[in-house]
Amino acid sequence: MMPIHELLNRIHWDPAFGAARFRLGYIDRLAGGLVHGDLREPFLREGEHFSVILWDEKGEPHEVPLHRIREVWRDGELIWQRPSPPTPRPDTTHSM
C-alpha cells in the first residue's frame, strides 16, 4: 500500500489524477470518531510535512495530522484505506 504522503503528492503534482474530487476520512478526537473533509487546493502548507488542510461542510479549514487520516475517496470511490491496527492477543504466559 502506498503511504499517505505519497498519495497526497500524487494528488498535488499529477494534474490528470488530481483533477478529481477528494474526501478524506480522519479520526477526530473531539467528535469521537471518523470525520470527512474535502481536499481543496492549496491543501499543503509550504514546509509542513506532517499535516494537510481539509475543509468541512461549513467551509471551515481544519489542519489534520497525516497519522489521523484513515481513508481517501476519489470521486466517490474509496481508493486508499489505512490498515486497522492488529488486535492485541491475550497474554497467555501468566497463570492464575
Side-chain angles (χ1 to χ4, degrees), residues 37-73:
D38 290 322
L39 197 62
R40 300 181 191 165
E41 287 289 346
F43 59 85
L44 301 172
R45 287 191 307 132
E46 188 173 332
E48 176 56 60
H49 303 288
F50 303 106
S51 66
V52 8
I53 300 169
L54 297 179
W55 300 82
D56 66 17
E57 311 80 41
K58 299 176 187 173
E60 297 290 325
H62 298 271
E63 194 162 337
V64 177
L66 297 183
H67 69 272
R68 291 205 187 154
I69 298 172
R70 294 294 179 256
E71 56 189 32
V72 178
W73 297 80

Side-chain angles (χ1 to χ4, degrees), residues 21-23 72-79:
R21 179 175 184 242
F22 289 91
R23 287 188 55 81
V72 178
W73 297 80
R74 181 177 186 261
D75 288 337
E77 178 184 344
L78 183 64
I79 63 164

Side-chain angles (χ1 to χ4, degrees), residues 5-43:
H5 70 278
E6 288 182 15
L7 178 58
L8 292 169
N9 282 334
R10 181 170 181 210
I11 293 168
H12 183 70
W13 294 106
D14 181 344
F17 184 75
R21 179 175 184 242
F22 289 91
R23 287 188 55 81
L24 279 64
Y26 64 95
I27 299 295
D28 185 321
R29 287 185 271 181
L30 295 177
L34 196 64
V35 174
H36 290 86
D38 290 322
L39 197 62
R40 300 181 191 165
E41 287 289 346
F43 59 85

